[in-house]
Amino acid sequence: MSSEYTGKRQHVAIVGGGAAGMACAATLAKHPDRFKITLIEKEAVVGGQATSINLDAEQHGASWMNNGVQGGSAIFKHTFNFFRQYGHPPQEVRLQVSFGKGKDRFWTNCFPSPLVKEFGSDIKRFGTFLKVIQWSLPILGIVPISILLRVFLFSKDFGDKMVYPLIALFLGTGNQTASVPSGIVERLFNDPNMKLWDYDPETLLPNLPTMYTFDKLNDFYSAWREDLTNKGVSFALETEVQETLSRSKNNVVLKLENIHSKESREESFDKIVFCSLADETLRILGKTATWRERFVLGGASFYDDITVTHTDSTYFDEHYETRFKSDLCAEPTTEAQRKQIAFSNPSDSNSDAGFRPMYYTYTYNSNPKLIEMSFNCTNYQHQFRQNDASNENTPKSVYQTIFLNKERRDLWTIDKIDESQIIKKNWWHQLGHRWIHYLRVVPNMMFIQGRNSTCFAGSWTLVNMHEVACVSGVAAAYRMGADYDQFDNFATDFFSKYLLVSHGLVFSRQEKKRSKSNHSSQ
């Protein structure tokens, strides 16, 4: 279907005020003569999972921390572009990770460990493995990573102790890591538009890759909403879409309900963009959902995870390797490795160097394919680091531990966290990147986009990243006739690829059509 503007000012409903919904609204709002926009969000604030928590600055060394979304890599061009527009630029950080507990499970990207030495041949062969998948896409790409690791005769421990924790770091998979398709793993290492860092043939994960931590998300999203309001976007907050009453080629009728008063109303729109999760979208569509929509959206699997924000350092030290220890370090064989060890174990206690992991995984002995994930937010988020020097007292480190898939609650160590040190608990409904998602959902999105005056956006349409959410919202707006501002060649390339995969539209052809249309109307 075409993405050309029809000439009539259209009233567009956007369901969901997360990154996708806000990016869609921002793109449409550039054309007030073409679009009237109403964004419907059931929460009192926008931002979706990208939220912030207030902290006691004297206790923790900062007055706030981000929650749900921590940061991203250099590929997050659209995300950072929005951030900078509102004076919230991302802050550079060198990523340190700590996988596993104990000498037989631990490895890091900061210095050589015995485990990395043990799996040296597997790590080198993994590079060839990625190339084979790349050459054979999409045939082998859809096969779960756990199956191909066995086919290629990788050791079971290499998968359990290195590959699966690393994929979890990439995606946050709701403990469906072994079911992630091999093609997604390959893309996350090799695709310039998706990779977070390069494959390293010596250590698998490169030493201290550059990442970016986000500024205060509550303030950013609040400023974004205020600006869009000034541009004419209407925000219906604390409002839930109860059901879709009807849809046609030129009209959508929704039943809306105020969360507090429970008062309901019907409202008519010309177009609708669902920036809600796939299962929630299917619920809203109800009887109006077509068989295609039920097939595609029904292929997305979601899992309920809980994030516990706490200050229990005893729990953290018990479950993770948090400090440099000589017995965790392998004998260096190169000058680079000697420098890594020196960096990780500095003699100067006031140095900015040192082993200060930001991301951790804990593997269950009874089921090594399943993990728990944690962040040391004090090491990761920039506001803590900026306030270190000005704080006379040693602040309590703030941690976030994520327990995946409540159906496996029997494995969780959540009860070992000191309840008195818990700051907040958040439940999340997270996408599981299972192989079926890339067979049933991703390649078929283009066949449901634009039909019955409806578009779909959200990170679940491809990969669970804030950047994908932003791009998906922009793409939905573009399909409806909004312009895409080319601010960066890399960003344009990413946008073009997403538009092709999710909407079946070739960006260059669409631009030529629009150019001809604009020329003929002059």
Side-chain angles (χ1 to χ4, degrees):
M1 293 187 177
S2 172
S3 67
E4 293 181 23
Y5 173 58
T6 62
K8 172 194 170 186
R9 188 172 188 253
Q10 301 176 78
H11 189 183
V12 180
I14 299 173
V15 179
M22 291 295 284
C24 183
T27 307
L28 293 172
K30 295 177 181 178
H31 310 285
D33 58 323
R34 303 181 192 177
F35 304 103
K36 176 184 177 182
I37 307 145
T38 298
L39 190 149
I40 306 163
E41 168 57 51
K42 63 183 178 181
E43 301 296 335
V45 296
V46 295
Q49 292 188 5
T51 59
S52 305
I53 298 175
N54 292 326
L55 298 175
D56 184 325
E58 289 189 9
Q59 274 197 323
H60 304 115
S63 61
W64 62 274
M65 62 173 285
N66 285 331
N67 183 38
V69 178
Q70 299 284 337
S73 75
I75 69 170
F76 283 36
K77 298 288 188 178
H78 296 84
T79 297
F80 297 160
N81 188 45
F82 285 125
F83 281 0
R84 292 188 179 100
Q85 287 178 30
Y86 298 99
H88 293 274
Q91 304 292 321
E92 187 174 308
V93 63
R94 309 289 282 185
L95 184 67
Q96 297 190 29
V97 299
S98 174
F99 293 119
K101 176 71 174 176
K103 188 175 180 180
D104 63 331
R105 288 186 178 275
F106 168 79
W107 67 284
T108 178
N109 68 324
C110 299
F111 55 86
S113 69
L115 197 69
V116 170
K117 295 289 186 180
E118 178 186 345
F119 295 126
S121 61
D122 282 318
I123 292 172
K124 285 184 170 63
R125 287 200 302 119
F126 195 73
T128 303
F129 172 77
L130 293 174
K131 290 179 181 178
V132 171
I133 296 173
Q134 183 178 19
W135 294 333
S136 61
L137 287 174
I139 299 170
L140 289 183
I142 202 65
V143 180
I145 185 68
S146 60
I147 293 177
L148 279 194
L149 286 177
R150 291 200 301 270
V151 169
F152 281 79
L153 303 179
F154 285 99
S155 67
K156 180 179 181 298
D157 279 351
F158 175 64
D160 291 346
K161 296 178 181 179
M162 296 199 74
V163 177
Y164 300 144
L166 187 56
I167 297 172
L169 170 58
F170 274 133
L171 299 174
T173 51
N175 263 339
Q176 305 304 307
T177 309
S179 298
V180 170
S182 300
I184 290 299
V185 178
E186 184 275 329
R187 292 288 81 191
L188 289 171
F189 274 106
N190 292 332
D191 187 340
N193 294 120
M194 291 179 65
K195 70 178 180 180
L196 299 183
W197 45 71
D198 295 318
Y199 155 76
D200 189 292
E202 300 296 326
T203 57
L204 189 59
L205 182 64
N207 180 244
L208 305 180
T210 299
M211 298 289 285
Y212 296 87
T213 179
F214 296 163
D215 203 1
K216 189 175 182 181
L217 290 169
N218 275 2
D219 288 355
F220 161 67
Y221 272 98
S222 178
W224 201 1
R225 175 193 160 198
E226 182 179 355
D227 181 54
L228 293 183
T229 300
N230 292 335
K231 291 178 178 177
V233 177
S234 297
F235 286 86
L237 301 181
E238 299 181 289
T239 301
E240 188 171 18
V241 184
Q242 288 293 297
E243 62 177 314
T244 305
L245 299 176
S246 66
R247 284 188 302 159
S248 65
K249 186 177 180 180
N250 299 304
N251 182 253
V252 177
V253 180
L254 302 176
K255 181 180 178 182
L256 308 178
E257 180 182 271
N258 182 278
I259 295 292
H260 298 293
S261 68
K262 301 301 180 183
E263 293 181 0
S264 62
R265 68 182 188 273
E266 293 181 11
E267 195 160 344
S268 179
F269 303 91
D270 297 302
K271 304 288 183 184
I272 188 169
V273 183
F274 283 103
C275 299
S276 44
L277 297 179
D279 54 355
E280 174 68 2
T281 300
L282 269 181
R283 181 197 67 78
I284 294 171
L285 287 173
K287 295 179 180 179
T288 71
T290 66
W291 68 268
R292 284 191 182 91
E293 290 168 341
R294 286 194 293 270
F295 175 78
V296 177
L297 302 183
S301 298
F302 295 87
Y303 301 85
D304 293 321
D305 309 333
I306 187 171
T307 296
V308 180
T309 305
H310 63 97
T311 58
D312 191 347
S313 58
T314 301
Y315 167 88
F316 224 72
D317 290 340
E318 180 183 342
H319 290 82
Y320 305 104
E321 298 295 352
T322 61
R323 299 176 180 83
F324 180 87
K325 301 174 185 176
S326 58
D327 64 332
L328 295 177
C329 186
E331 192 67 29
T333 57
T334 65
E335 182 60 28
Q337 290 181 353
R338 292 186 185 91
K339 289 181 179 179
Q340 290 170 10
I341 294 171
F343 173 90
S344 300
N345 187 28
S347 57
D348 180 4
S349 60
N350 294 318
S351 171
D352 288 335
F355 182 52
R356 299 178 180 178
M358 303 156 186
Y359 178 94
Y360 302 76
T361 63
Y362 172 81
T363 303
Y364 301 115
N365 290 329
S366 60
N367 194 333
K369 288 183 174 62
L370 304 183
I371 65 172
E372 295 172 357
M373 302 188 296
S374 285
F375 295 98
N376 183 327
C377 298
T378 301
N379 287 348
Y380 194 177
Q381 296 186 26
H382 65 273
Q383 72 277 12
F384 293 102
R385 300 194 307 274
Q386 290 172 348
N387 293 334
D388 274 351
S390 60
N391 199 320
E392 295 180 1
N393 302 315
T394 301
K396 288 185 178 181
S397 291
V398 182
Y399 310 107
Q400 286 194 324
T401 303
I402 307 171
F403 301 94
L404 303 169
N405 189 2
K406 71 177 181 181
E407 293 181 3
R408 297 311 312 265
R409 175 73 171 76
D410 57 304
L411 295 172
W412 292 359
T413 65
I414 189 171
D415 295 330
K416 294 185 177 182
I417 299 176
D418 183 349
E419 194 73 28
S420 68
Q421 299 194 56
I422 293 177
I423 298 172
K424 191 176 181 65
K425 294 181 180 179
N426 291 94
W427 281 97
W428 310 107
H429 198 52
Q430 298 275 32
L431 174 69
H433 298 77
R434 302 175 70 246
W435 66 272
I436 193 69
H437 187 80
Y438 296 92
L439 184 65
R440 183 170 161 183
V441 180
V442 174
N444 292 305
M445 284 302 304
M446 67 175 72
F447 301 113
I448 63 173
Q449 297 278 22
R451 296 176 179 271
N452 293 319
S453 305
T454 305
C455 282
F456 305 89
S459 61
W460 62 267
T461 60
L462 186 60
V463 178
N464 190 23
M465 294 181 182
H466 193 279
E467 176 69 1
V468 173
C470 287
V471 171
S472 71
V474 175
Y478 181 80
R479 185 185 189 106
M480 291 185 170
D483 294 337
Y484 176 74
D485 294 334
Q486 300 186 48
F487 64 93
D488 177 274
N489 290 337
F490 183 94
T492 300
D493 185 49
F494 189 7
F495 172 78
S496 301
K497 289 178 178 177
Y498 179 87
L499 191 69
L500 179 62
V501 170
S502 192
H503 290 265
L505 300 177
V506 179
F507 179 63
S508 58
R509 292 179 185 172
Q510 294 299 316
E511 289 298 281
K512 287 180 181 178
K513 286 181 182 178
R514 294 187 181 198
S515 179
K516 289 180 180 179
S517 176
N518 292 337
H519 181 73
S520 62
S521 64
Q522 291 177 353

